[in-house]
């Protein structure tokens, strides 16, 4: 998640175990795809917290992420903040 001024953008990446193994030895050769939502790339793109619809979309997205994580919670699973 990134907040720039009042604009919020979410990012998602699935990082395979193979990537982490390669990273521990050298630069990884396994590709990681990062998805952006909303997809536009500009300073004033994303969900604007100033607008009611933007705030609602951000809260719904955070709620959906939380519900997904609770449903898929596994022991020994770590979320890394970068």
């Amino acid at each position: 998640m990134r907040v720039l001024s009042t604009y919020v953008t979410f990012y998602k990446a699935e990082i395979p175990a193979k990537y982490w193994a390669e990273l521990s030895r050298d630069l990884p050769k396994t590709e990681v795809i990062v998805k952006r939502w909303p997809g536009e790339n500009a300073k004033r793109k994303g969900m604007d917290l100033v607008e009611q619809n933007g705030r609602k979309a951000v809260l719904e997205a955070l709620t959906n992420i939380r519900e997904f994580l609770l449903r898929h919670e596994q022991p020994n699973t770590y979320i890394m903040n970068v």
Side-chain angles (χ1 to χ4, degrees):
M1 179 175 156
R2 176 184 78 166
V3 179
L4 181 63
S5 182
T6 62
Y7 295 91
V8 178
T9 307
F10 291 91
Y11 296 87
K12 177 184 177 186
E14 294 179 18
I15 303 174
K18 182 179 177 183
Y19 178 90
W20 296 112
E22 292 173 357
L23 185 62
S24 69
R25 292 187 305 270
D26 199 359
L27 290 176
K29 292 180 178 39
T30 301
E31 185 176 294
V32 173
I33 298 172
V34 178
K35 297 179 182 178
R36 174 188 172 115
W37 181 73
E40 300 87 18
N41 190 16
K43 286 183 180 179
R44 293 184 182 249
K45 294 293 182 180
M47 293 161 282
D48 190 354
L49 293 175
V50 171
E51 299 176 9
Q52 182 178 359
N53 289 341
R55 289 190 301 274
K56 182 178 178 186
V58 170
L59 291 174
E60 287 174 350
L62 289 172
T63 301
N64 290 338
I65 291 168
R66 180 182 182 276
E67 292 300 317
F68 175 84
L69 292 173
L70 290 173
R71 280 193 312 270
H72 295 87
E73 186 176 351
Q74 297 176 8
N76 300 324
T77 301
Y78 303 99
I79 298 175
M80 182 172 58
N81 295 317
V82 180

